[in-house]
Amino acid sequence: MDRLSAYDHAICWAFTYKFWSHTTDSDFEMLPFAFPTDPPLPKITSLRSWVKFLVGIEPELYNCCPNSCCCYTGPHEQLQECPYCKEPRFGSDGKPRKKFTYILLILRLEAFTCNQSMATKMKYRSTGHVHEPGKSSDIFNGSNYRNLRREHVEVNGRRFEHRYFEDERDIALGLSTDGFAPFKRRKNTAWPLIIFNYNLPPEIHFNIDNILSLGVIPGPKKPVDVDSFLWPLIKELLRLAAGV
Ligand SMILES: [Zn+2]
């Protein structure tokens, strides 16, 4: 944050206020009348663009089936119609009928390591947790994690020298997805893809501030091929396992 100007800071605080208070765009645009600033804050569209520029993370957009059966990634990448419901991928105007937005993970994890407070909290996995046989206080007591620590990392058939979670900076992540109905009177469902950062102490790793959203499978139906939506994440996880 030190490299940000005072105006950049003001932009970040204004955007944080809008995000946390759920203020509508029109209400937000009225704020300068009550609380004028010098220089004045930009309009909401410019504010968003500015924050996007400061964050430096561009979301990736993928075409997906209008019924959310699958995402056109990996083996589906070149398909022109959904292999499950046969709906065409593109409309008569040649544009994709629906898109899935994926927010990159590695850039955000790298940002955490640059933040002293966050990086310190994330040392919990390597220095804070103490394994006591027979006691289950965290995922690090689990056999899955403990067995992985004995194994060498393998990616696409290549065996690496390092073992899983051997380096103190390695990050243990958990993936969760479950459907929810955004509208009370409709059957539409949407499926958020979220990541838990288990390197953080157990009392805070499920806090909403610490949960990472990767994107939302838009619905309206339950995805048939969830893996196709996870494809961009899997590519990033393989890169992380090999070492970033
Ligand atoms: Zn479909």
Side-chain angles (χ1 to χ4, degrees):
M1 292 288 274
D2 291 335
R3 282 177 288 166
L4 300 182
S5 68
Y7 190 61
D8 291 338
H9 277 274
I11 293 276
C12 291
W13 283 119
F15 190 77
T16 306
Y17 165 78
K18 182 175 183 328
F19 181 77
W20 283 112
S21 64
H22 305 287
T23 306
T24 63
D25 287 5
S26 53
D27 286 350
F28 185 80
E29 301 238 310
M30 285 196 288
L31 276 179
F33 297 109
F35 307 104
T37 55
D38 184 23
L41 288 172
K43 295 264 184 202
I44 184 65
T45 43
S46 307
L47 186 101
R48 281 203 184 94
S49 305
W50 200 299
V51 171
K52 205 169 147 189
F53 166 75
L54 291 174
V55 171
I57 298 176
E58 271 300 317
E60 289 184 343
L61 293 173
Y62 293 89
N63 299 173
C64 68
C65 163
N67 290 320
S68 275
C69 303
C70 70
C71 190
Y72 290 101
T73 55
H76 301 323
E77 203 173 331
Q78 301 301 327
L79 297 182
Q80 299 296 305
E81 66 169 33
C82 172
Y84 304 102
C85 72
K86 307 300 177 192
E87 282 287 330
R89 174 173 175 172
F90 300 102
S92 53
D93 55 2
K95 290 181 179 166
R97 294 174 65 196
K98 196 168 252 186
K99 288 179 184 173
F100 165 65
T101 304
Y102 176 76
I103 309 166
L104 291 158
L105 175 67
I106 293 177
L107 286 170
R108 287 184 283 172
L109 296 180
E110 284 175 340
F112 289 163
T113 63
C114 296
N115 178 305
Q116 195 177 16
S117 162
M118 190 64 168
T120 305
K121 286 182 205 157
M122 282 174 61
K123 281 186 175 175
Y124 165 78
R125 185 192 66 79
S126 56
T127 57
H129 174 77
V130 180
H131 177 60
E132 293 176 43
K135 192 179 167 190
S136 183
S137 61
D138 202 350
I139 65 146
F140 304 127
N141 296 109
S143 57
N144 195 20
Y145 172 78
R146 305 209 71 75
N147 290 338
L148 272 174
R149 292 204 65 171
R150 293 186 210 109
E151 288 180 25
H152 285 270
V153 171
E154 264 192 54
V155 177
N156 293 331
R158 183 183 163 197
R159 190 172 187 264
F160 288 81
E161 280 300 305
H162 61 275
R163 294 167 203 269
Y164 288 98
F165 306 111
E166 186 181 338
D167 191 294
E168 64 170 15
R169 295 162 298 179
D170 287 347
I171 305 170
L173 301 169
L175 170 68
S176 171
T177 182
D178 199 2
F180 75 101
F183 307 107
K184 269 186 186 170
R185 292 170 191 274
R186 289 190 230 162
K187 287 184 179 169
N188 300 24
T189 54
W191 296 70
L193 303 175
I194 56 174
I195 288 278
F196 301 118
N197 180 353
Y198 286 125
N199 269 41
L200 293 168
E203 58 274 17
I204 60 166
H205 64 213
F206 291 138
N207 284 8
I208 194 157
D209 299 3
N210 295 322
I211 293 175
L212 294 163
S213 169
L214 300 167
V216 179
I217 302 173
K221 294 180 184 170
K222 183 180 175 182
V224 179
D225 185 352
V226 180
D227 290 356
S228 65
F229 289 94
L230 294 176
W231 186 271
L233 170 68
I234 301 300
K235 283 202 298 186
E236 286 207 284
L237 293 179
L238 291 174
R239 275 188 61 205
L240 282 167
V244 172

